[in-house]
Amino acid sequence: MDRRRFLAGAAAAGVAGLAGCGTASGTVRPPELPEQRLDDGGWERTAADTEEVLSRTVAGTEVSATAVSRVYDDAALRAAVGEKTLGALDAPLSNFFAARIAFTPTLVDVPVESAREELAARAGEAARGQFEAQLAAAGLTDVSASDGGTLAVATGEDAAVTEYSAAFEFDAISFEVRGEPITIEGGSVDVEGVLASWIHDGGLFLSGGAYPAQNVVRTVDRELSEAITVAVEVDLGLEPARYAEEVEALVTRVE
């Protein structure tokens, strides 16, 4: 697996494999997203999926759930890093996703309160489990989760937040200087992620993302001749604090 592409799969994990299978029936409204902010920030949609994720009997009531998800890649960041590395590193580095899970009947209409809570809890727990599994499957190591408290979202609720940390191993970067091959050794970069979930209008919302949590700076000395030695520095100029702020701003605006 190309570990540089870890975010491509991790984004959709929050809604994959919750329970059941099959094709969604009917029309489910997708989550409303801050489209202008996404456009202004250089985000590019990479996936749009609709999937039936649950079908079971709860408290004597047949309940089904359909998830509609949207996944975005920070294309502007990807392009900037690609330019800085002369095209040697061209991969998703920061992403954002949002999903709306619609229940039939809605959670509000499920007759027993404990059953409503169970359905929401099952969906939320499964989403977190799939998110973590996908991070690990994509090549991240030392994946850990912690309670991130709550976050006020645009729909008026307080979303439950799970924060993630991991390490991302990246490959060596090679290019030429004056016709001489230069190789910057690979290494490890800290990654952080967030997954928020909340109930609104009888359905469950999931949103989050992942991003580099540290900058990457590498320097290599290269002897071009007996008289000439050059020091080549690669500084990707990554801004973890800005990425964290941007992902949170997008998450809180999902409706």
Side-chain angles (χ1 to χ4, degrees):
M1 174 179 291
D2 185 347
R3 292 173 298 180
R4 294 176 303 171
R5 299 188 61 81
F6 75 96
L7 289 181
V15 296
L18 294 181
C21 59
T23 303
S25 59
T27 301
V28 178
R29 177 177 62 83
E32 294 182 15
L33 306 178
E35 300 289 354
Q36 189 61 54
R37 186 169 188 126
L38 288 166
D39 290 342
D40 293 344
W43 294 82
E44 182 179 279
R45 193 169 80 180
T46 57
D49 297 312
T50 300
E51 180 185 9
E52 184 178 276
V53 295
L54 183 147
S55 180
R56 64 178 58 196
T57 301
V58 178
T61 301
E62 292 293 330
V63 179
S64 63
T66 300
V68 181
S69 62
R70 300 290 184 264
V71 182
Y72 289 79
D73 168 35
D74 189 340
L77 173 61
R78 178 175 183 167
V81 170
E83 182 177 353
K84 290 176 181 178
T85 60
L86 305 179
L89 181 57
D90 180 17
L93 294 170
S94 183
N95 85 332
F96 161 74
F97 81 94
R100 177 177 182 265
I101 300 179
F103 292 84
T104 303
T106 69
L107 290 179
V108 173
D109 295 326
V110 173
V112 181
E113 181 178 358
S114 60
R116 295 195 295 269
E117 295 174 351
E118 178 190 356
L119 283 170
R122 281 181 177 272
E125 289 172 6
R128 286 189 290 273
Q130 287 295 319
F131 189 80
E132 294 167 16
Q134 197 70 17
L135 291 176
L140 272 73
T141 59
D142 300 326
V143 177
S144 63
S146 60
D147 183 357
T150 60
L151 185 65
V153 292
T155 55
E157 291 79 21
D158 287 334
V161 176
T162 302
E163 296 177 342
Y164 291 89
S165 63
F168 170 49
E169 303 290 335
F170 66 93
D171 300 329
I173 300 172
S174 298
F175 50 89
E176 291 188 354
V177 175
R178 292 186 178 184
E180 292 290 329
I182 300 292
T183 298
I184 304 296
E185 66 179 9
S188 178
V189 178
D190 291 340
V191 174
E192 292 182 353
V194 61
L195 178 64
S197 62
W198 67 100
I199 296 174
H200 174 72
D201 194 25
L204 178 67
F205 285 76
L206 299 166
S207 186
Y211 48 86
Q214 67 178 118
N215 191 21
V216 176
V217 179
R218 294 288 189 275
T219 303
V220 62
D221 293 327
R222 180 75 180 191
E223 186 177 297
L224 300 182
S225 70
E226 292 184 0
I228 301 176
T229 298
V230 298
V232 178
E233 180 180 89
V234 174
D235 182 349
L236 298 188
L238 300 177
E239 304 174 76
R242 182 171 69 83
Y243 308 145
E245 181 180 350
E246 179 69 1
V247 168
E248 180 175 315
L250 293 170
V251 169
T252 58
R253 288 167 171 78
V254 173
E255 298 185 69

Short mmCIF file of all heavy atoms in Angstrom, two decimals, residues 124-173:
data_model
loop_
_atom_site.label_atom_id
_atom_site.label_comp_id
_atom_site.label_asym_id
_atom_site.label_seq_id
_atom_site.Cartn_x
_atom_site.Cartn_y
_atom_site.Cartn_z
N GLY A 124 -22.60 5.46 16.25
CA GLY A 124 -21.43 6.26 16.61
C GLY A 124 -20.21 5.41 16.93
O GLY A 124 -19.09 5.69 16.48
N GLU A 125 -20.41 4.33 17.70
CA GLU A 125 -19.30 3.46 18.06
C GLU A 125 -18.73 2.75 16.83
O GLU A 125 -17.52 2.62 16.68
CB GLU A 125 -19.77 2.43 19.10
CG GLU A 125 -20.05 3.03 20.48
CD GLU A 125 -20.69 2.02 21.42
OE1 GLU A 125 -20.81 0.84 21.01
OE2 GLU A 125 -21.07 2.41 22.53
N ALA A 126 -19.62 2.28 15.97
CA ALA A 126 -19.16 1.60 14.77
C ALA A 126 -18.39 2.55 13.86
O ALA A 126 -17.37 2.18 13.26
CB ALA A 126 -20.34 1.00 14.01
N ALA A 127 -18.87 3.80 13.77
CA ALA A 127 -18.18 4.78 12.95
C ALA A 127 -16.78 5.05 13.48
O ALA A 127 -15.81 5.11 12.72
CB ALA A 127 -18.98 6.08 12.91
N ARG A 128 -16.66 5.19 14.79
CA ARG A 128 -15.34 5.42 15.37
C ARG A 128 -14.42 4.23 15.15
O ARG A 128 -13.24 4.38 14.83
CB ARG A 128 -15.48 5.73 16.87
CG ARG A 128 -16.03 7.12 17.15
CD ARG A 128 -15.95 7.46 18.62
NE ARG A 128 -16.91 6.67 19.41
CZ ARG A 128 -18.16 7.03 19.62
NH1 ARG A 128 -18.63 8.15 19.08
NH2 ARG A 128 -18.97 6.29 20.35
N GLY A 129 -14.99 3.03 15.31
CA GLY A 129 -14.19 1.83 15.09
C GLY A 129 -13.70 1.72 13.67
O GLY A 129 -12.53 1.39 13.42
N GLN A 130 -14.58 2.02 12.71
CA GLN A 130 -14.18 1.97 11.31
C GLN A 130 -13.16 3.05 10.98
O GLN A 130 -12.23 2.83 10.20
CB GLN A 130 -15.42 2.11 10.41
CG GLN A 130 -16.31 0.89 10.39
CD GLN A 130 -15.63 -0.31 9.78
OE1 GLN A 130 -14.93 -0.17 8.77
NE2 GLN A 130 -15.80 -1.47 10.37
N PHE A 131 -13.32 4.22 11.55
CA PHE A 131 -12.37 5.31 11.33
C PHE A 131 -10.98 4.90 11.80
O PHE A 131 -9.98 5.06 11.10
CB PHE A 131 -12.86 6.55 12.08
CG PHE A 131 -12.09 7.81 11.76
CD1 PHE A 131 -12.35 8.53 10.62
CD2 PHE A 131 -11.11 8.28 12.63
CE1 PHE A 131 -11.66 9.70 10.33
CE2 PHE A 131 -10.41 9.43 12.36
CZ PHE A 131 -10.68 10.15 11.20
N GLU A 132 -10.90 4.31 12.99
CA GLU A 132 -9.62 3.88 13.54
C GLU A 132 -9.02 2.74 12.71
O GLU A 132 -7.82 2.72 12.45
CB GLU A 132 -9.82 3.45 14.99
CG GLU A 132 -10.21 4.58 15.92
CD GLU A 132 -10.70 4.09 17.28
OE1 GLU A 132 -10.44 2.91 17.60
OE2 GLU A 132 -11.32 4.88 18.01
N ALA A 133 -9.87 1.79 12.30
CA ALA A 133 -9.37 0.67 11.51
C ALA A 133 -8.83 1.13 10.17
O ALA A 133 -7.81 0.63 9.69
CB ALA A 133 -10.49 -0.35 11.30
N GLN A 134 -9.50 2.11 9.58
CA GLN A 134 -9.06 2.59 8.29
C GLN A 134 -7.74 3.36 8.41
O GLN A 134 -6.87 3.26 7.55
CB GLN A 134 -10.13 3.50 7.67
CG GLN A 134 -9.97 3.72 6.17
CD GLN A 134 -10.26 2.48 5.37
OE1 GLN A 134 -10.87 1.54 5.88
NE2 GLN A 134 -9.82 2.44 4.14
N LEU A 135 -7.58 4.10 9.49
CA LEU A 135 -6.31 4.79 9.71
C LEU A 135 -5.17 3.78 9.80
O LEU A 135 -4.11 3.96 9.20
CB LEU A 135 -6.37 5.63 10.98
CG LEU A 135 -7.28 6.86 10.96
CD1 LEU A 135 -7.31 7.52 12.33
CD2 LEU A 135 -6.84 7.86 9.91
N ALA A 136 -5.40 2.72 10.55
CA ALA A 136 -4.38 1.70 10.71
C ALA A 136 -4.12 0.98 9.39
O ALA A 136 -2.96 0.71 9.02
CB ALA A 136 -4.80 0.70 11.79
N ALA A 137 -5.18 0.65 8.66
CA ALA A 137 -5.03 -0.06 7.39
C ALA A 137 -4.31 0.78 6.35
O ALA A 137 -3.67 0.24 5.44
CB ALA A 137 -6.41 -0.48 6.86
N ALA A 138 -4.39 2.09 6.47
CA ALA A 138 -3.75 2.98 5.51
C ALA A 138 -2.27 3.20 5.81
O ALA A 138 -1.61 3.96 5.12
CB ALA A 138 -4.47 4.32 5.48
N GLY A 139 -1.75 2.53 6.84
CA GLY A 139 -0.32 2.61 7.09
C GLY A 139 0.07 3.47 8.26
O GLY A 139 1.27 3.59 8.55
N LEU A 140 -0.88 4.08 8.94
CA LEU A 140 -0.54 4.88 10.10
C LEU A 140 -0.22 3.96 11.28
O LEU A 140 -0.81 2.89 11.42
CB LEU A 140 -1.67 5.83 10.48
CG LEU A 140 -1.62 7.20 9.78
CD1 LEU A 140 -2.01 7.04 8.32
CD2 LEU A 140 -2.56 8.18 10.45
N THR A 141 0.69 4.37 12.10
CA THR A 141 1.06 3.59 13.27
C THR A 141 0.75 4.39 14.54
O THR A 141 0.52 5.60 14.49
CB THR A 141 2.55 3.23 13.25
OG1 THR A 141 3.33 4.44 13.22
CG2 THR A 141 2.89 2.39 12.02
N ASP A 142 0.75 3.68 15.64
CA ASP A 142 0.51 4.32 16.95
C ASP A 142 -0.79 5.11 16.98
O ASP A 142 -0.86 6.21 17.55
CB ASP A 142 1.68 5.23 17.33
CG ASP A 142 3.00 4.49 17.43
OD1 ASP A 142 2.98 3.32 17.84
OD2 ASP A 142 4.05 5.07 17.08
N VAL A 143 -1.83 4.57 16.34
CA VAL A 143 -3.13 5.25 16.33
C VAL A 143 -3.74 5.17 17.73
O VAL A 143 -3.86 4.10 18.31
CB VAL A 143 -4.09 4.60 15.31
CG1 VAL A 143 -5.46 5.27 15.37
CG2 VAL A 143 -3.51 4.68 13.91
N SER A 144 -4.09 6.31 18.26
CA SER A 144 -4.73 6.34 19.57
C SER A 144 -5.87 7.35 19.55
O SER A 144 -5.85 8.31 18.79
CB SER A 144 -3.72 6.70 20.66
OG SER A 144 -3.21 8.00 20.46
N ALA A 145 -6.88 7.08 20.39
CA ALA A 145 -8.04 7.95 20.46
C ALA A 145 -8.24 8.44 21.88
O ALA A 145 -7.88 7.75 22.84
CB ALA A 145 -9.29 7.19 20.00
N SER A 146 -8.78 9.63 22.01
CA SER A 146 -9.07 10.18 23.32
C SER A 146 -10.33 11.01 23.25
O SER A 146 -10.73 11.49 22.19
CB SER A 146 -7.89 11.05 23.82
OG SER A 146 -7.66 12.13 22.94
N ASP A 147 -10.96 11.16 24.39
CA ASP A 147 -12.19 11.96 24.48
C ASP A 147 -11.85 13.42 24.26
O ASP A 147 -11.05 14.00 24.99
CB ASP A 147 -12.82 11.75 25.86
CG ASP A 147 -14.15 12.48 26.01
OD1 ASP A 147 -14.56 13.19 25.07
OD2 ASP A 147 -14.77 12.34 27.07
N GLY A 148 -12.48 14.00 23.24
CA GLY A 148 -12.22 15.40 22.93
C GLY A 148 -13.29 16.33 23.47
O GLY A 148 -13.34 17.51 23.09
N GLY A 149 -14.18 15.83 24.33
CA GLY A 149 -15.22 16.67 24.89
C GLY A 149 -16.33 16.91 23.89
O GLY A 149 -16.72 16.02 23.14
N THR A 150 -16.82 18.13 23.86
CA THR A 150 -17.90 18.47 22.94
C THR A 150 -17.54 19.71 22.13
O THR A 150 -16.63 20.47 22.49
CB THR A 150 -19.21 18.74 23.70
OG1 THR A 150 -19.01 19.84 24.61
CG2 THR A 150 -19.65 17.50 24.47
N LEU A 151 -18.28 19.89 21.06
CA LEU A 151 -18.05 21.01 20.16
C LEU A 151 -19.40 21.52 19.68
O LEU A 151 -20.23 20.75 19.19
CB LEU A 151 -17.21 20.54 18.97
CG LEU A 151 -16.74 21.58 17.95
CD1 LEU A 151 -15.78 22.58 18.61
CD2 LEU A 151 -16.06 20.88 16.78
N ALA A 152 -19.65 22.81 19.84
CA ALA A 152 -20.91 23.39 19.40
C ALA A 152 -20.95 23.45 17.87
O ALA A 152 -20.00 23.91 17.23
CB ALA A 152 -21.08 24.80 19.98
N VAL A 153 -22.04 22.95 17.28
CA VAL A 153 -22.16 22.92 15.83
C VAL A 153 -23.33 23.78 15.38
O VAL A 153 -24.18 24.18 16.17
CB VAL A 153 -22.34 21.47 15.33
CG1 VAL A 153 -21.07 20.67 15.55
CG2 VAL A 153 -23.52 20.79 16.02
N ALA A 154 -23.37 24.04 14.06
CA ALA A 154 -24.32 25.00 13.51
C ALA A 154 -25.77 24.57 13.68
O ALA A 154 -26.68 25.42 13.67
CB ALA A 154 -24.02 25.24 12.03
N THR A 155 -26.04 23.28 13.83
CA THR A 155 -27.41 22.81 13.98
C THR A 155 -27.96 23.08 15.38
O THR A 155 -29.14 22.83 15.65
CB THR A 155 -27.51 21.31 13.69
OG1 THR A 155 -26.59 20.61 14.53
CG2 THR A 155 -27.20 21.01 12.23
N GLY A 156 -27.11 23.55 16.28
CA GLY A 156 -27.56 23.92 17.62
C GLY A 156 -27.23 22.93 18.71
O GLY A 156 -27.48 23.20 19.89
N GLU A 157 -26.66 21.78 18.35
CA GLU A 157 -26.31 20.78 19.36
C GLU A 157 -24.84 20.88 19.75
O GLU A 157 -24.06 21.62 19.12
CB GLU A 157 -26.58 19.36 18.82
CG GLU A 157 -28.04 19.02 18.64
CD GLU A 157 -28.63 19.60 17.38
OE1 GLU A 157 -27.86 19.93 16.44
OE2 GLU A 157 -29.86 19.74 17.30
N ASP A 158 -24.48 20.11 20.77
CA ASP A 158 -23.08 19.91 21.14
C ASP A 158 -22.67 18.53 20.66
O ASP A 158 -23.20 17.52 21.12
CB ASP A 158 -22.88 20.02 22.66
CG ASP A 158 -22.99 21.44 23.16
OD1 ASP A 158 -22.73 22.37 22.37
OD2 ASP A 158 -23.35 21.63 24.33
N ALA A 159 -21.75 18.48 19.70
CA ALA A 159 -21.30 17.21 19.14
C ALA A 159 -20.30 16.55 20.07
O ALA A 159 -19.47 17.23 20.69
CB ALA A 159 -20.66 17.44 17.78
N ALA A 160 -20.38 15.23 20.18
CA ALA A 160 -19.38 14.47 20.93
C ALA A 160 -18.15 14.32 20.03
O ALA A 160 -18.26 13.94 18.86
CB ALA A 160 -19.92 13.10 21.30
N VAL A 161 -16.98 14.61 20.58
CA VAL A 161 -15.76 14.64 19.78
C VAL A 161 -14.77 13.58 20.25
O VAL A 161 -14.54 13.43 21.45
CB VAL A 161 -15.09 16.03 19.86
CG1 VAL A 161 -13.76 16.04 19.11
CG2 VAL A 161 -16.02 17.10 19.30
N THR A 162 -14.21 12.86 19.29
CA THR A 162 -13.11 11.95 19.55
C THR A 162 -11.89 12.47 18.82
O THR A 162 -11.97 12.76 17.62
CB THR A 162 -13.41 10.51 19.07
OG1 THR A 162 -14.60 10.04 19.71
CG2 THR A 162 -12.27 9.58 19.38
N GLU A 163 -10.78 12.63 19.53
CA GLU A 163 -9.55 13.13 18.93
C GLU A 163 -8.59 11.96 18.68
O GLU A 163 -8.52 11.03 19.48
CB GLU A 163 -8.89 14.17 19.83
CG GLU A 163 -9.74 15.42 20.01
CD GLU A 163 -9.10 16.42 20.96
OE1 GLU A 163 -8.20 16.02 21.73
OE2 GLU A 163 -9.50 17.60 20.94
N TYR A 164 -7.86 12.03 17.58
CA TYR A 164 -6.95 10.97 17.20
C TYR A 164 -5.53 11.50 17.01
O TYR A 164 -5.34 12.65 16.59
CB TYR A 164 -7.40 10.32 15.89
CG TYR A 164 -8.68 9.53 16.04
CD1 TYR A 164 -9.91 10.15 15.85
CD2 TYR A 164 -8.66 8.19 16.39
CE1 TYR A 164 -11.09 9.44 16.00
CE2 TYR A 164 -9.83 7.48 16.55
CZ TYR A 164 -11.04 8.10 16.35
OH TYR A 164 -12.21 7.41 16.51
N SER A 165 -4.59 10.65 17.32
CA SER A 165 -3.19 10.94 17.00
C SER A 165 -2.58 9.68 16.40
O SER A 165 -3.00 8.56 16.71
CB SER A 165 -2.42 11.37 18.25
OG SER A 165 -2.37 10.32 19.21
N ALA A 166 -1.61 9.87 15.52
CA ALA A 166 -0.97 8.73 14.86
C ALA A 166 0.36 9.20 14.28
O ALA A 166 0.72 10.38 14.35
CB ALA A 166 -1.87 8.18 13.75
N ALA A 167 1.09 8.27 13.72
CA ALA A 167 2.34 8.58 13.04
C ALA A 167 2.23 8.11 11.59
O ALA A 167 1.68 7.04 11.32
CB ALA A 167 3.52 7.89 13.73
N PHE A 168 2.73 8.92 10.67
CA PHE A 168 2.67 8.63 9.24
C PHE A 168 4.08 8.50 8.69
O PHE A 168 4.85 9.46 8.72
CB PHE A 168 1.91 9.75 8.53
CG PHE A 168 1.98 9.70 7.03
CD1 PHE A 168 1.71 8.54 6.35
CD2 PHE A 168 2.29 10.84 6.31
CE1 PHE A 168 1.77 8.49 4.97
CE2 PHE A 168 2.33 10.82 4.93
CZ PHE A 168 2.08 9.64 4.26
N GLU A 169 4.42 7.31 8.21
CA GLU A 169 5.73 7.07 7.63
C GLU A 169 5.71 7.49 6.16
O GLU A 169 4.86 7.04 5.40
CB GLU A 169 6.11 5.59 7.74
CG GLU A 169 6.08 5.03 9.15
CD GLU A 169 7.21 5.57 10.01
OE1 GLU A 169 8.24 5.98 9.43
OE2 GLU A 169 7.06 5.58 11.24
N PHE A 170 6.65 8.37 5.77
CA PHE A 170 6.69 8.77 4.37
C PHE A 170 8.00 8.31 3.73
O PHE A 170 9.02 8.14 4.40
CB PHE A 170 6.52 10.29 4.22
CG PHE A 170 7.64 11.11 4.80
CD1 PHE A 170 8.70 11.52 4.01
CD2 PHE A 170 7.63 11.48 6.14
CE1 PHE A 170 9.73 12.28 4.53
CE2 PHE A 170 8.65 12.24 6.68
CZ PHE A 170 9.71 12.64 5.87
N ASP A 171 7.93 8.11 2.42
CA ASP A 171 9.06 7.57 1.67
C ASP A 171 10.10 8.66 1.37
O ASP A 171 9.81 9.86 1.48
CB ASP A 171 8.59 6.96 0.36
CG ASP A 171 7.61 5.81 0.58
OD1 ASP A 171 7.74 5.13 1.61
OD2 ASP A 171 6.72 5.63 -0.26
N ALA A 172 11.28 8.23 0.98
CA ALA A 172 12.34 9.17 0.60
C ALA A 172 11.90 9.98 -0.62
O ALA A 172 11.11 9.52 -1.46
CB ALA A 172 13.62 8.41 0.29
N ILE A 173 12.40 11.21 -0.72
CA ILE A 173 12.08 12.11 -1.82
C ILE A 173 13.34 12.30 -2.65
O ILE A 173 14.39 12.68 -2.12
CB ILE A 173 11.58 13.47 -1.30
CG1 ILE A 173 10.32 13.26 -0.46
CG2 ILE A 173 11.31 14.43 -2.45
CD1 ILE A 173 9.87 14.54 0.25
#
